[in-house]
Amino acid sequence: MKTLKYILGMIFCLMIALPLKASSHQEAGKVDAKEIVFHHIQDTYEWHITSWGEKHFTISLPIIVYSQETGWHCFSSSHLLHAEGESYEGFKIATEGSHEGKVVETLSNGEEVRPFDISITKTVLSLFINCLVVIGIILYTARWYKRSTPESPAPKGFIGFMEMFIMMIEEDVIKSCIGKDYKKYSPYLLTAFFFIFINNIMGLIPVFPGGGNVTGNIAITLVLALCTFIAVNVFGTKEYWKEILWPEVPMWLKCPVPIMPAIELFGIFTKPFALMIRLFANIMAGHSIILALTSIVFVTASMGAVISTSMSIVSVLFSIFMNCVEVLVAFIQAYVFTMLSAVFIGMSRVEGHH
């Protein structure tokens, strides 16, 4: 009961504090909810930790670019992000156009082009941190099993929780969808599940090192989908390719116009595309909804104490609800990606009919 009272008290204080902070933002200018949402879900060259009054605590990340004229450059993003419109070593952050928010290079003829950019952005740093978390969890779990013996009691606590997760994915998803060759694909599918799940969970944590929109970045989901694409088509059986290139349908559907082979070949690319878009869209939509609900506090701050306080209460309650839903979505999206990948791999392991 004391814990519940403490939590409710913290929420009440938060609801009072948020409108006050929103008023300070209103004094500086009109709050743009769209800008707030897109600023948080887009990739940046710095990681904003928090603000205290007029002071901002940020991590300036390294910018690593290759110039067409001067070669490689490596410097801190603080040289560009805190100098409005100014360039550093011939580079600057584009403020408009198709390259808005990205590093552009000004050539000797005055033309602005995108250099070869391998900078450590917020998404990249978050990806590195989350990968270390995944590796740490797996190695910690493996260490217990390495030290245990057949006479050891069943694991409890965190190890037992991990065993439940692994056995659920291994037995209910991978083995049932792929069949007898499932052990060959288990390392990849288990890695994909925990990678997506941990990144989804870390993205919901509002404080550093959480908050990165990793699986809401289409480049990340593209690479995951390509891995499944390779696992399906490179290791597919001869019978799988026979059903694609010469399916068992009436001859007029295959020759002289290869209608069915064309449809089957098109399906090879639509499957990973669906995996990529499903994960990207669901995670980005979840982040956008939570940020939009939080922005209600700032948008209504200038509408009077009654409206501002009531809408702040609504915003906090709905944000808490959406965060709980997003925890469930984080698991479901990791589960669905793993299950569909296992289904596609199982379809590629088809054997000949006797």
Side-chain angles (χ1 to χ4, degrees), residues 66-73 91 105-111:
Y66 180 79
S67 168
Q68 298 179 11
E69 297 180 342
T70 57
W72 287 101
H73 293 258
F91 302 94
E105 174 189 5
T106 304
L107 300 178
S108 57
N109 59 5
E111 182 184 1

PDB file of all heavy atoms in Angstrom, residues 66-73 91 105-111:
ATOM      1  N   TYR A  66      33.883  10.971 -45.740  1.00  0.00           N
ATOM      2  CA  TYR A  66      34.917  10.960 -46.785  1.00  0.00           C
ATOM      3  C   TYR A  66      34.569  12.002 -47.832  1.00  0.00           C
ATOM      4  O   TYR A  66      33.517  11.937 -48.487  1.00  0.00           O
ATOM      5  CB  TYR A  66      35.019   9.587 -47.439  1.00  0.00           C
ATOM      6  CG  TYR A  66      36.071   9.517 -48.527  1.00  0.00           C
ATOM      7  CD1 TYR A  66      37.425   9.377 -48.208  1.00  0.00           C
ATOM      8  CD2 TYR A  66      35.714   9.598 -49.875  1.00  0.00           C
ATOM      9  CE1 TYR A  66      38.390   9.329 -49.203  1.00  0.00           C
ATOM     10  CE2 TYR A  66      36.670   9.537 -50.878  1.00  0.00           C
ATOM     11  CZ  TYR A  66      38.010   9.408 -50.533  1.00  0.00           C
ATOM     12  OH  TYR A  66      38.967   9.358 -51.517  1.00  0.00           O
ATOM     13  N   SER A  67      35.442  12.977 -47.998  1.00  0.00           N
ATOM     14  CA  SER A  67      35.229  14.047 -48.959  1.00  0.00           C
ATOM     15  C   SER A  67      35.751  13.643 -50.334  1.00  0.00           C
ATOM     16  O   SER A  67      36.769  12.964 -50.450  1.00  0.00           O
ATOM     17  CB  SER A  67      35.945  15.323 -48.493  1.00  0.00           C
ATOM     18  OG  SER A  67      35.977  16.285 -49.513  1.00  0.00           O
ATOM     19  N   GLN A  68      35.048  14.085 -51.365  1.00  0.00           N
ATOM     20  CA  GLN A  68      35.481  13.818 -52.733  1.00  0.00           C
ATOM     21  C   GLN A  68      36.769  14.563 -53.071  1.00  0.00           C
ATOM     22  O   GLN A  68      37.502  14.150 -53.968  1.00  0.00           O
ATOM     23  CB  GLN A  68      34.381  14.236 -53.721  1.00  0.00           C
ATOM     24  CG  GLN A  68      33.074  13.488 -53.556  1.00  0.00           C
ATOM     25  CD  GLN A  68      32.023  13.956 -54.543  1.00  0.00           C
ATOM     26  OE1 GLN A  68      32.313  14.694 -55.481  1.00  0.00           O
ATOM     27  NE2 GLN A  68      30.785  13.537 -54.342  1.00  0.00           N
ATOM     28  N   GLU A  69      37.053  15.632 -52.347  1.00  0.00           N
ATOM     29  CA  GLU A  69      38.205  16.467 -52.678  1.00  0.00           C
ATOM     30  C   GLU A  69      39.336  16.371 -51.659  1.00  0.00           C
ATOM     31  O   GLU A  69      40.505  16.476 -52.035  1.00  0.00           O
ATOM     32  CB  GLU A  69      37.758  17.929 -52.800  1.00  0.00           C
ATOM     33  CG  GLU A  69      36.768  18.163 -53.931  1.00  0.00           C
ATOM     34  CD  GLU A  69      36.344  19.619 -54.019  1.00  0.00           C
ATOM     35  OE1 GLU A  69      36.545  20.362 -53.026  1.00  0.00           O
ATOM     36  OE2 GLU A  69      35.823  20.035 -55.080  1.00  0.00           O
ATOM     37  N   THR A  70      39.008  16.185 -50.381  1.00  0.00           N
ATOM     38  CA  THR A  70      40.041  16.237 -49.328  1.00  0.00           C
ATOM     39  C   THR A  70      40.202  14.944 -48.538  1.00  0.00           C
ATOM     40  O   THR A  70      40.961  14.909 -47.580  1.00  0.00           O
ATOM     41  CB  THR A  70      39.734  17.394 -48.361  1.00  0.00           C
ATOM     42  OG1 THR A  70      38.409  17.211 -47.809  1.00  0.00           O
ATOM     43  CG2 THR A  70      39.790  18.735 -49.075  1.00  0.00           C
ATOM     44  N   GLY A  71      39.469  13.902 -48.896  1.00  0.00           N
ATOM     45  CA  GLY A  71      39.650  12.615 -48.238  1.00  0.00           C
ATOM     46  C   GLY A  71      38.864  12.491 -46.938  1.00  0.00           C
ATOM     47  O   GLY A  71      37.815  13.109 -46.750  1.00  0.00           O
ATOM     48  N   TRP A  72      39.415  11.715 -46.019  1.00  0.00           N
ATOM     49  CA  TRP A  72      38.701  11.379 -44.777  1.00  0.00           C
ATOM     50  C   TRP A  72      38.774  12.528 -43.775  1.00  0.00           C
ATOM     51  O   TRP A  72      39.791  13.200 -43.656  1.00  0.00           O
ATOM     52  CB  TRP A  72      39.284  10.121 -44.142  1.00  0.00           C
ATOM     53  CG  TRP A  72      38.939   8.862 -44.866  1.00  0.00           C
ATOM     54  CD1 TRP A  72      39.724   8.165 -45.730  1.00  0.00           C
ATOM     55  CD2 TRP A  72      37.701   8.154 -44.785  1.00  0.00           C
ATOM     56  NE1 TRP A  72      39.057   7.065 -46.213  1.00  0.00           N
ATOM     57  CE2 TRP A  72      37.809   7.034 -45.641  1.00  0.00           C
ATOM     58  CE3 TRP A  72      36.502   8.348 -44.096  1.00  0.00           C
ATOM     59  CZ2 TRP A  72      36.777   6.112 -45.802  1.00  0.00           C
ATOM     60  CZ3 TRP A  72      35.467   7.437 -44.257  1.00  0.00           C
ATOM     61  CH2 TRP A  72      35.604   6.335 -45.106  1.00  0.00           C
ATOM     62  N   HIS A  73      37.669  12.688 -43.026  1.00  0.00           N
ATOM     63  CA  HIS A  73      37.592  13.677 -41.952  1.00  0.00           C
ATOM     64  C   HIS A  73      36.907  13.023 -40.756  1.00  0.00           C
ATOM     65  O   HIS A  73      35.918  12.286 -40.914  1.00  0.00           O
ATOM     66  CB  HIS A  73      36.792  14.908 -42.376  1.00  0.00           C
ATOM     67  CG  HIS A  73      37.444  15.712 -43.450  1.00  0.00           C
ATOM     68  ND1 HIS A  73      38.126  16.884 -43.200  1.00  0.00           N
ATOM     69  CD2 HIS A  73      37.519  15.507 -44.794  1.00  0.00           C
ATOM     70  CE1 HIS A  73      38.591  17.369 -44.335  1.00  0.00           C
ATOM     71  NE2 HIS A  73      38.232  16.553 -45.325  1.00  0.00           N
ATOM     72  N   PHE A  91      32.301  21.118 -44.210  1.00  0.00           N
ATOM     73  CA  PHE A  91      31.062  20.374 -43.990  1.00  0.00           C
ATOM     74  C   PHE A  91      30.115  21.190 -43.117  1.00  0.00           C
ATOM     75  O   PHE A  91      30.542  22.013 -42.306  1.00  0.00           O
ATOM     76  CB  PHE A  91      31.351  19.030 -43.325  1.00  0.00           C
ATOM     77  CG  PHE A  91      32.281  18.145 -44.097  1.00  0.00           C
ATOM     78  CD1 PHE A  91      33.647  18.148 -43.831  1.00  0.00           C
ATOM     79  CD2 PHE A  91      31.804  17.313 -45.090  1.00  0.00           C
ATOM     80  CE1 PHE A  91      34.517  17.340 -44.541  1.00  0.00           C
ATOM     81  CE2 PHE A  91      32.663  16.499 -45.808  1.00  0.00           C
ATOM     82  CZ  PHE A  91      34.022  16.511 -45.535  1.00  0.00           C
ATOM     83  N   GLU A 105      28.603  18.338 -47.901  1.00  0.00           N
ATOM     84  CA  GLU A 105      29.922  18.893 -48.224  1.00  0.00           C
ATOM     85  C   GLU A 105      29.778  19.993 -49.273  1.00  0.00           C
ATOM     86  O   GLU A 105      29.045  19.833 -50.250  1.00  0.00           O
ATOM     87  CB  GLU A 105      30.817  17.780 -48.750  1.00  0.00           C
ATOM     88  CG  GLU A 105      32.165  18.254 -49.254  1.00  0.00           C
ATOM     89  CD  GLU A 105      32.917  17.149 -49.972  1.00  0.00           C
ATOM     90  OE1 GLU A 105      32.352  16.054 -50.149  1.00  0.00           O
ATOM     91  OE2 GLU A 105      34.075  17.402 -50.365  1.00  0.00           O
ATOM     92  N   THR A 106      30.463  21.089 -49.061  1.00  0.00           N
ATOM     93  CA  THR A 106      30.471  22.171 -50.038  1.00  0.00           C
ATOM     94  C   THR A 106      31.728  22.057 -50.892  1.00  0.00           C
ATOM     95  O   THR A 106      32.850  22.234 -50.406  1.00  0.00           O
ATOM     96  CB  THR A 106      30.436  23.542 -49.344  1.00  0.00           C
ATOM     97  OG1 THR A 106      29.297  23.613 -48.473  1.00  0.00           O
ATOM     98  CG2 THR A 106      30.361  24.663 -50.367  1.00  0.00           C
ATOM     99  N   LEU A 107      31.547  21.732 -52.170  1.00  0.00           N
ATOM    100  CA  LEU A 107      32.682  21.554 -53.078  1.00  0.00           C
ATOM    101  C   LEU A 107      33.266  22.908 -53.473  1.00  0.00           C
ATOM    102  O   LEU A 107      32.700  23.969 -53.184  1.00  0.00           O
ATOM    103  CB  LEU A 107      32.231  20.784 -54.317  1.00  0.00           C
ATOM    104  CG  LEU A 107      31.658  19.375 -54.070  1.00  0.00           C
ATOM    105  CD1 LEU A 107      31.219  18.755 -55.387  1.00  0.00           C
ATOM    106  CD2 LEU A 107      32.668  18.489 -53.360  1.00  0.00           C
ATOM    107  N   SER A 108      34.392  22.864 -54.143  1.00  0.00           N
ATOM    108  CA  SER A 108      35.076  24.094 -54.554  1.00  0.00           C
ATOM    109  C   SER A 108      34.259  24.920 -55.529  1.00  0.00           C
ATOM    110  O   SER A 108      34.404  26.141 -55.609  1.00  0.00           O
ATOM    111  CB  SER A 108      36.439  23.758 -55.175  1.00  0.00           C
ATOM    112  OG  SER A 108      36.278  22.869 -56.271  1.00  0.00           O
ATOM    113  N   ASN A 109      33.351  24.260 -56.283  1.00  0.00           N
ATOM    114  CA  ASN A 109      32.507  24.981 -57.225  1.00  0.00           C
ATOM    115  C   ASN A 109      31.218  25.498 -56.589  1.00  0.00           C
ATOM    116  O   ASN A 109      30.335  26.008 -57.274  1.00  0.00           O
ATOM    117  CB  ASN A 109      32.173  24.101 -58.431  1.00  0.00           C
ATOM    118  CG  ASN A 109      31.463  22.813 -58.029  1.00  0.00           C
ATOM    119  OD1 ASN A 109      31.121  22.601 -56.863  1.00  0.00           O
ATOM    120  ND2 ASN A 109      31.252  21.938 -58.993  1.00  0.00           N
ATOM    121  N   GLY A 110      31.081  25.311 -55.251  1.00  0.00           N
ATOM    122  CA  GLY A 110      29.904  25.801 -54.536  1.00  0.00           C
ATOM    123  C   GLY A 110      28.770  24.814 -54.437  1.00  0.00           C
ATOM    124  O   GLY A 110      27.763  25.087 -53.768  1.00  0.00           O
ATOM    125  N   GLU A 111      28.888  23.652 -55.067  1.00  0.00           N
ATOM    126  CA  GLU A 111      27.825  22.653 -55.048  1.00  0.00           C
ATOM    127  C   GLU A 111      27.820  21.910 -53.701  1.00  0.00           C
ATOM    128  O   GLU A 111      28.872  21.583 -53.153  1.00  0.00           O
ATOM    129  CB  GLU A 111      28.033  21.655 -56.190  1.00  0.00           C
ATOM    130  CG  GLU A 111      26.939  20.596 -56.277  1.00  0.00           C
ATOM    131  CD  GLU A 111      27.240  19.573 -57.349  1.00  0.00           C
ATOM    132  OE1 GLU A 111      28.307  19.678 -58.000  1.00  0.00           O
ATOM    133  OE2 GLU A 111      26.417  18.659 -57.536  1.00  0.00           O
TER     134      GLU A 111
END
